[in-house]
Amino acid sequence: MHIASSLLAILLASIGCVSSANGASQYAPKQPPLTTPWTDEVGTNPWPEYPRPQLQRSEWKNLNGIWRYENATSLQSVQQPPFGKHLSQEVLVPSCLESALSGIQGQYMLNSWFSTSFTVPKSWEKQRVLLNFGAVDYEATVFINGRKAGFHRGGYFHFTVDGTSHVSFDRENELLVFVHDPTDNGDSVIPIGKQTLHPSHIFYTPCSGIWQSVWVESAPANHITQLDIDANMHGEVSATVHSSQKSGTPVEVAVHERNSGEVVAYHQARSPHLYNVTVRMGADHVRSYTGFRSISKGMVDGVVRPLVNGEFQFLFGPLDQGYWPDGLYTAPNREAMVYDLKVLKKLGFNMVRKHVKIEPALFYQACDEMGFLVIQDMPALRQKAPNAKQQAEFSRQLELMVKQLKNYPSIMTWVIYNEGWGQLIDGYPEFGLTKHVKEIDPTRLVDSTSGWYDHGAGDFSDNHHYANPQCGTPFYSLDSSPYDPSRIGFQGEFGGLGSNVSINHLWNVQEAIDTIDQTYEIDESLAAWNYRSHILLGELEDQIRRFACSGGVWTQTTDVEGEVNGLLTYDRRLLRVDEMQWRADIMKLYDAGAARSHTYMPAF
Ligand SMILES: *[C@@H]1O[C@H](CO)[C@@H](O)[C@H](O)[C@H]1NC(C)=O
Ligand SMILES: *[C@@H]1O[C@H](CO)[C@@H](O)[C@H](O)[C@H]1NC(C)=O
Ligand SMILES: *[C@@H]1O[C@H](CO)[C@@H](O)[C@H](O)[C@H]1NC(C)=O
């Protein structure tokens, strides 16, 4: 048996050699444990869209596509970059190295080299050449033409490397990226969300490498690096334009109607009405957009409520994790990513809780355009107490998240901790972190601790309970805290009803299948699943009518690996819900909220 399998390995290796005469393996996606309807559409030019809709420049080149890849032996490898070397394998960018779509589908991708080459048009010669990365998990060291050009730490954040002094305008430029991603290896305690090197039930396969778009663009020496636009319900727009150089260059900001292009000075609109924005600063000219929206909290009939444009509307959203069986963190394409949102919209959800992951900019743009509100979680540390240095890095990355996303009108609330993961209990750091988040972004609410260890910080009294809700109720289970009437009563998670439909819709990995029995509740048929969801949504409605429940999060949008409790299966091929029944049940939640919001006092 043993001999036979090694013979087979040798045979396969020699077939591999024949098919690539030049000794380099060619890119082909691997077989994922489960496909989606978009797996075969990915091709070799993924994510062609301009990746940064809130700071768009016209002169750009997409660098997504087939790059070269090689495993590096250690973190020290970064000291010996393989300049000019043909790395041994091909890889799809963007992708997670652990995903089938990457063409690698590896494990323990702790240290990696990526390389590609690119040209820059002669016409950019007098400009800065900016190399942009949507996100690289976890650390990236960037080399251009044999010289180090930049470094970035943090797996969920965009960053820009100014390549001007490194690039040539008349030949191919070599781009080499060293990626280090420990995930939860050894003593590493870093923001990882649900990623783990040892997947089991609610923790999943990790994502390493360049998992969002890479592009190069030209901009003048003094260019806009960030736009912070705040447009409120009174029609007031305030814009902060960050520039690459200190200068007194005047800035022009214009807000336009999306369709007619007419410049609007004042407009009071209910969401989801968006406006195009153009900004000129000297020679730099960028396009963006905004929406007029104010988020606050206030007393409505004696209950503290979240307010959107001054009004209480019940918030109902799914726990939305953004995992894909073929691409893991990287959706196969934009259409797939938006498909999830379309399903939610059709069922009547008005919010999504983006769970311990940060998505590409195009996701938030889609939320803005479709009129969703977003409750955004900080990607959690593993379930282990961080030391002082790790805590400081968590806090730094929390700040990066708020700065990166606060410009999207859809964002309404920041979540700092989920169910105590990586939450230090000594000294209650969530109070300091909440204060810090509110300083960076005073226009949103903060849910400091979603579930479990609540010491009174932030705007929410957030209960997690499966399967039935305990939302702003005078009863609670002992693993959560009692409802605190000085804050917003909220059900940060409930539902989680499982249904093991068939092997055709399962992530076909035995270790994952073996954890299905850890599901809170299994319903034996879709009829039973819909019956149970109707009961649970009815309980939530009752709690809105009787108690102080302002919003709820249903677990979850899709199945993920060994979890079978999605509205959709992991492959997005089966929608478990009885659409008529769910739409009606969700409408009743909003009606129950409306019945509690006849009068209100201004926000405090
Ligand atoms: C890649 O290198 C690491 C050391 O950084 C090693 O542990 C691992 O086995 C290697 N993986 C592959 C697929 O060669
Ligand atoms: C508004 O911006 C969108 C996205 O960039 C663009 O498609 C549309 O044409 C713009 N509208 C106007 C009137 O310029
Ligand atoms: C779920 O279904 C799979 C495939 O049919 C089966 O192997 C597994 O035992 C089932 N698990 C549970 C808990 O029902």
Side-chain angles (χ1 to χ4, degrees):
M1 183 60 199
H2 191 81
I3 293 169
S5 65
S6 47
L7 276 179
L8 184 66
I10 292 164
L11 197 65
L12 286 174
S14 62
I15 292 169
C17 275
V18 172
S19 69
S20 55
N22 62 2
S25 68
Q26 280 203 326
Y27 170 76
K30 291 273 188 348
Q31 181 62 42
L34 183 67
T35 62
T36 68
W38 304 275
T39 308
D40 294 335
E41 289 174 19
V42 173
T44 55
N45 292 303
W47 292 91
E49 300 85 1
Y50 187 84
R52 198 182 47 201
Q54 287 202 328
L55 189 68
Q56 286 190 57
R57 288 199 173 85
S58 50
E59 292 295 306
W60 73 292
K61 258 180 97 163
N62 198 333
L63 299 189
N64 293 345
I66 306 302
W67 291 32
R68 303 203 70 85
Y69 159 81
E70 205 165 287
N71 190 32
T73 49
S74 72
L75 183 53
Q76 279 67 45
S77 308
V78 73
Q79 309 298 340
Q80 288 101 39
F83 296 129
K85 195 182 155 219
H86 205 60
L87 302 181
S88 61
Q89 286 171 280
E90 287 190 340
V91 65
L92 188 72
V93 168
S95 72
C96 302
L97 287 172
E98 294 83 352
S99 72
L101 287 175
S102 71
I104 305 291
Q105 208 173 28
Q107 289 178 336
Y108 276 79
M109 310 312 276
L110 306 185
N111 300 290
S112 314
W113 285 107
F114 290 84
S115 75
T116 190
S117 66
F118 64 98
T119 56
V120 266
K122 259 280 199 253
S123 57
W124 293 8
E125 212 157 17
K126 301 240 154 46
Q127 307 280 305
R128 307 304 290 181
V129 176
L130 306 177
L131 188 58
N132 300 295
F133 291 83
V136 179
D137 199 350
Y138 172 73
E139 287 176 3
T141 311
V142 178
F143 301 87
I144 301 173
N145 292 334
R147 283 155 64 205
K148 183 173 164 181
F151 172 80
H152 183 267
R153 173 174 292 136
Y156 302 90
F157 308 102
H158 63 64
F159 61 96
T160 299
V161 172
D162 187 333
T164 316
S165 60
H166 304 287
V167 297
S168 293
F169 291 89
D170 45 15
R171 64 173 175 92
E172 295 274 328
N173 295 283
E174 180 193 56
L175 172 60
L176 198 61
V177 184
F178 180 77
V179 177
H180 173 59
D181 184 14
T183 311
D184 54 351
N185 194 39
D187 294 330
S188 159
V189 179
I190 57 176
I192 50 176
K194 293 273 193 126
Q195 306 177 68
T196 173
L197 290 168
H198 306 280
S200 180
H201 196 51
I202 67 162
F203 295 99
Y204 322 126
T205 308
C207 173
S208 303
I210 305 170
W211 68 278
Q212 290 187 29
S213 290
V214 186
W215 75 107
V216 63
E217 68 189 350
S218 80
N222 186 23
H223 56 266
I224 298 164
T225 53
Q226 193 186 321
L227 280 180
D228 291 334
I229 303 173
D230 176 34
N232 68 25
M233 62 190 262
H234 307 295
E236 298 158 348
V237 185
S238 69
T240 307
V241 179
H242 302 259
S243 58
S244 57
Q245 295 175 351
K246 262 207 161 80
S247 74
T249 315
V251 172
E252 279 171 45
V253 179
V255 180
H256 311 263
E257 287 283 359
R258 278 217 133 178
N259 300 324
S260 64
E262 198 180 316
V263 176
V264 289
Y266 174 88
H267 196 101
Q268 185 164 7
R270 301 266 313 165
S271 57
H273 203 92
L274 299 176
Y275 295 85
N276 285 2
V277 172
T278 54
V279 183
R280 272 181 197 282
M281 185 191 73
D284 202 13
H285 179 199
V286 299
R287 285 184 295 143
S288 186
Y289 70 88
T290 193
F292 290 82
R293 178 173 285 158
S294 298
I295 304 292
S296 60
K297 62 179 176 182
M299 275 293 188
V300 180
D301 274 353
V303 179
V304 180
R305 300 291 193 186
L307 307 177
V308 177
N309 291 347
E311 285 176 21
F312 167 54
Q313 189 191 5
F314 186 78
L315 303 166
F316 192 59
L319 192 77
D320 196 74
Q321 306 212 54
Y323 266 84
W324 300 85
D326 42 11
L328 302 173
Y329 259 11
T330 310
N333 56 30
R334 184 178 183 277
E335 183 194 334
M337 188 175 74
V338 173
Y339 174 79
D340 282 3
L341 292 172
K342 283 186 175 160
V343 169
L344 299 173
K345 187 83 196 171
K346 201 167 159 216
L347 292 173
F349 288 93
N350 62 5
M351 175 266 283
V352 293
R353 176 177 172 206
K354 180 45 70 179
H355 191 41
V356 296
K357 181 193 178 194
I358 300 171
E359 293 287 355
L362 294 170
F363 175 85
Y364 299 96
Q365 180 195 32
C367 289
D368 291 336
E369 290 179 348
M370 295 171 77
F372 282 105
L373 292 161
V374 175
I375 293 182
Q376 175 67 47
D377 289 13
M378 174 63 190
L381 303 172
R382 69 199 277 190
Q383 295 160 289
K384 187 170 183 244
N387 64 30
K389 202 174 153 212
Q390 291 159 341
Q391 180 68 10
E393 182 59 20
F394 176 76
S395 167
R396 187 188 73 88
Q397 291 190 30
L398 173 65
E399 182 172 329
L400 288 183
M401 174 181 81
V402 175
K403 288 183 171 165
Q404 177 164 315
L405 300 183
K406 70 174 182 168
N407 218 26
Y408 295 95
S410 51
I411 299 274
M412 72 161 297
T413 293
W414 305 108
V415 176
I416 300 176
Y417 287 115
N418 176 68
E419 294 185 353
W421 302 347
Q423 181 184 347
L424 283 170
I425 300 305
D426 291 346
Y428 301 169
E430 69 267 25
F431 281 92
L433 293 172
T434 301
K435 186 164 169 274
H436 189 49
V437 168
K438 292 217 167 205
E439 280 160 7
I440 312 167
D441 180 12
T443 68
R444 301 321 203 294
L445 302 173
V446 179
D447 185 351
S448 308
T449 57
S450 188
W452 300 12
Y453 308 121
D454 181 5
H455 309 111
D459 301 309
F460 290 80
S461 177
D462 182 346
N463 178 294
H464 287 193
H465 194 260
Y466 290 99
N468 54 333
Q470 304 175 337
C471 184
T473 53
F475 53 85
Y476 62 100
S477 302
L478 290 176
D479 58 358
S480 56
S481 309
Y483 163 61
D484 165 9
S486 72
R487 293 177 296 155
I488 297 163
F490 194 73
Q491 192 66 42
E493 291 181 23
F494 80 113
L497 300 177
S499 128
N500 192 10
V501 194
S502 88
I503 189 70
N504 299 329
H505 300 285
L506 282 180
W507 171 255
N508 201 346
V509 171
Q510 196 56 47
E511 291 81 354
I513 291 175
D514 290 346
T515 66
I516 291 175
D517 61 5
Q518 294 174 35
T519 308
Y520 310 101
E521 172 179 323
I522 292 280
D523 301 330
E524 287 187 346
S525 65
L526 290 181
W529 189 90
N530 278 291
Y531 161 72
R532 288 286 296 143
S533 15
H534 177 64
I535 298 289
L536 297 179
L537 292 171
E539 274 190 52
L540 191 68
E541 183 200 339
D542 211 35
Q543 294 174 7
I544 302 166
R545 292 192 188 278
R546 288 168 189 269
F547 307 117
C549 178
S550 292
V553 176
W554 178 275
T555 300
Q556 60 182 326
T557 305
T558 73
D559 295 354
V560 187
E561 301 199 354
E563 279 192 274
V564 294
N565 51 11
L567 303 166
L568 288 157
T569 49
Y570 198 19
D571 56 5
R572 276 71 172 174
R573 286 190 167 99
L574 180 94
L575 182 62
R576 287 193 176 89
V577 307
D578 174 332
E579 292 186 48
M580 288 258 286
Q581 178 207 300
W582 267 74
R583 267 200 300 275
D585 286 345
I586 290 177
M587 282 312 294
K588 285 187 201 155
L589 303 177
Y590 301 138
D591 291 346
R596 298 291 303 273
S597 57
H598 295 310
T599 61
Y600 71 95
M601 306 247 296
F604 53 77

